[in-house]
Amino acid sequence: MPVTDPDCLFCKIVAGEIPSTIVDSDERTVAFMDINPGTRGHALVVPRNHSRDLLEIDPEDLAAVAVAGQRLAGRAKEALGADGVNLLNSCGEVAWQTVFHFHLHVIPRYADDTVRLPWIPTPGDLDEIQVAGEQLKEQA
Ligand code: 5GP
Ligand code: ZN
């Protein structure tokens, strides 16, 4: 039996207590259509086990979600004619997470869609990039 949170929307979807359009499932994951699609075919992959976010999810569940995302990305190209796919995860409110059961967005992309990055890529300060990189490295 999966680990569930009785107050969690996506746990209820996994359990079939709230209706959804399920498009894929396996031992560890379920994928269903997002009700506010960014593009045609936008789906969410979730682990059956409840976990709040990227930092809490069991690594084996995370791996299974990634593989399911890859499966759906292939299907988006084959079945929907997508020209590309974005995989997106938001971890934390400031990163736009609104549902606190880990999920991977699988967003089919089309040559003529209007989805754009929320920032304009601009070259950064090379010294500061280096400093941030040093901080990110595992400390001995
Ligand atoms: P987040 O903002 O946390 O990255 O993504 C949550 C996603 O869940 C949103 O894209 C939102 O549209 C979707 N969502 C919220 N409530 C429901 C629901 O009841 N059913 C489905 N299928 N998707 C939902
Ligand atoms: Zn949950």
Side-chain angles (χ1 to χ4, degrees):
M1 288 291 283
V3 178
T4 60
D5 174 341
D7 299 323
C8 171
L9 173 65
F10 286 177
C11 281
K12 288 179 186 160
I13 286 180
V14 168
E17 292 163 15
I18 289 181
S20 71
T21 303
I22 292 178
V23 292
D24 186 82
S25 69
D26 63 23
E27 249 179 46
R28 283 183 180 267
T29 71
V30 175
F32 52 90
M33 301 304 281
D34 194 306
I35 47 165
N36 302 296
T39 65
R40 184 159 192 271
H42 182 169
L44 301 170
V45 186
V46 304
R48 291 180 183 275
N49 288 319
H50 178 83
S51 66
R52 183 180 165 80
D53 59 25
L54 178 65
L55 298 176
E56 276 195 6
I57 186 172
D58 175 284
E60 288 188 30
D61 279 343
L62 179 60
V65 167
V67 171
Q70 182 187 43
R71 209 158 49 226
L72 280 175
R75 249 184 260 159
K77 290 195 90 169
E78 282 162 25
L80 299 181
D83 300 301
V85 178
N86 282 123
L87 297 183
L88 173 75
N89 168 252
S90 302
C91 178
E93 266 178 57
V94 298
W96 315 317
Q97 186 174 5
T98 58
V99 177
F100 290 86
H101 176 131
F102 179 93
H103 50 280
L104 183 67
H105 294 259
V106 181
I107 307 169
R109 298 300 306 274
Y110 304 93
D112 59 353
D113 73 40
T114 56
V115 178
R116 293 293 174 267
L117 283 174
W119 69 91
I120 299 168
T122 313
D125 179 279
L126 289 181
D127 290 337
E128 166 44 24
I129 291 170
Q130 178 82 24
V131 170
E134 291 301 326
Q135 283 181 268
L136 267 180
K137 285 183 189 173
E138 189 177 27
Q139 304 299 318

